[in-house]
Structures are given as C-alpha cells and as structure tokens.
Amino acid sequence: MKKVTFIIVALFLSGCAATQGQGGLFGPGEFTITQADNRFEESKNITYYSSNNRISTKSVAGGTHIDGKGVFLNPVAVRSSDNSSLISVLFDIYNMTQFDTAYGGPNRLGILSKVSFVVDGQSPIVKEVEGPNSDWADVPYYNSVSRSASSDIIESGAIFLTKSEYEKIMNASSLAVKVSGSERSVIYEPSDITPDFMANLKTFYVAHIK
C-alpha cells in the first residue's frame, strides 16, 4: 500500500481522536487503544490507533496545563490483514489549543512542520509532518467576564517512523522533543515529559508493534 494511503488514514484517525474528549476540563483522560473499522477497506489491513497520549503538562507558552489541552503524540500501527506482520508505524500528532480575541493564541503552533527527538543526547531523529491541517471550531464561545470570544483549534498531522526509531524513542533514558510549526515551536526537555507518555508508548508497542 502506498504511503499516501497511510497519511489519509492518520489524518482521519486524528479527527476521530479529537472527538474522544482530549480537551477535557481536568485532563486528557485515560490512554486508550482502538482498532479501526476496516470493513470498507480493500486491503483489509488492520489499523490500531490510540488517544490521550499527551507529551507534557507544559504549555507551548511555557505555562502549565490544568485542562486537557496540549500537544499529543498518539502511536498508530498498521498491520497485515492476518495480523502477522507490521506494515507501518506512525505518530498521529496534534496540538489542541484555542484562539481568543482578547489575548490571541499563545499556545498555537500553526501549521505543523517538523518533530525532532533527541534520544540520550545522540543525533536527533528528525521527522517531517505529513498532511498538516488546522481545524477551527464551527461555533466560537463568548466569555462574559473577559468580554471576548474564543474558538477551539486542533492543529494536526502525522509523522512516520521505522520500528527501530520507535523503539529508540520508547526506550530512551533521556528524551527531548521539539515540535515546530509555522507560528512557533516548543521544546520539551526530559524533565517536562510526563512518565505516562513514555509508559503509553511501551503499552502500545507490546500490544501492536512488537
């Protein structure tokens, strides 16, 4: 199957993940893994996707998220129809943020372009974001206190990895991540990355990549 097909799948799954409550009031929710419905796919390949794998509680602007917004890297695996072989591994990436008429969008990255991983101080693993997109909510909401209107935004895309690259990232003793976009970039130092993020990578690997 051609790579472009996987991009379409990844972006479709990004939309699915966004509907699962990752922008909750008290956090992104529990990490979940779901098998996609492949009844309408000619290849019958099996796709496993995940949701709620937020990198950090650190916001793009440098504050701390107390809500479910932030930057997420959700692992996705495409396997053969008989589940015997791995076809593709990727991260469904998105930044869940907002724009407000009073203070702008300090946590926006813009159109996502690149994600870089520094594993244990080695040369970076640099991945271009494929199929980047920026979706704004259809209906803004009004804050009577600040007298401003705001709109939720999901900045999304996909990055493809080899199995060995995924394993390096997953097994890192020290991991730093930089996510770049057209508006700004954000760097997550090892101390910023939540333990759950790394644990979720391992959970997904054991279940559907190994």
Side-chain angles (χ1 to χ4, degrees):
M1 184 181 292
K2 294 182 179 179
K3 186 174 182 181
V4 67
T5 304
F6 296 139
I7 298 172
I8 294 171
V9 170
L11 295 177
F12 170 75
L13 296 178
S14 178
C16 292
T19 66
Q20 296 180 24
Q22 287 184 272
L25 182 61
F26 301 110
E30 184 179 356
F31 179 69
T32 60
I33 301 173
T34 307
Q35 181 177 332
D37 183 355
N38 67 349
R39 292 177 298 164
F40 306 100
E41 301 296 328
E42 291 183 4
S43 68
K44 297 301 179 183
N45 288 335
I46 303 170
T47 301
Y48 298 98
Y49 64 94
S50 62
S51 59
N52 297 334
N53 199 29
R54 185 168 65 181
I55 300 174
S56 175
T57 57
K58 173 186 170 181
S59 72
V60 171
T64 300
H65 282 294
I66 58 173
D67 55 14
K69 291 182 171 60
V71 180
F72 296 76
L73 285 177
N74 297 322
V76 178
V78 181
R79 301 187 66 88
S80 60
S81 58
D82 61 0
N83 212 16
S84 63
S85 61
L86 180 67
I87 297 173
S88 183
V89 180
L90 56 138
F91 279 131
D92 177 20
I93 175 175
Y94 71 92
N95 177 31
M96 194 166 200
T97 184
Q98 66 179 184
F99 179 87
D100 190 281
T101 55
Y103 61 84
N107 288 315
R108 287 195 63 203
L109 291 169
I111 300 299
L112 302 177
S113 58
K114 185 169 58 178
V115 182
S116 305
F117 305 88
V118 175
V119 176
D120 298 330
Q122 300 176 6
S123 297
I125 299 171
V126 181
K127 295 293 178 179
E128 300 293 324
V129 175
E130 306 207 41
N133 195 29
S134 181
D135 290 323
W136 291 58
D138 293 334
V139 180
Y141 52 91
Y142 180 73
N143 187 322
S144 59
V145 177
S146 63
R147 295 184 179 181
S148 62
S150 60
S151 179
D152 287 332
I153 307 169
I154 298 176
E155 300 166 340
S156 62
I159 57 172
F160 286 81
L161 305 169
T162 64
K163 182 180 178 182
S164 63
E165 287 172 337
Y166 187 99
E167 290 170 340
K168 286 180 181 178
I169 294 168
M170 175 188 71
N171 292 320
S173 297
S174 173
L175 177 67
V177 181
K178 180 179 181 179
V179 183
S180 303
S182 59
E183 296 289 331
R184 57 183 59 86
S185 62
V186 58
I187 295 176
Y188 299 103
E189 299 291 354
S191 59
D192 297 322
I193 295 174
T194 63
D196 284 348
F197 174 77
M198 301 300 289
N200 293 339
L201 295 185
K202 293 180 180 179
T203 296
F204 190 87
Y205 177 85
V206 171
H208 300 299
I209 296 178
K210 186 175 179 180

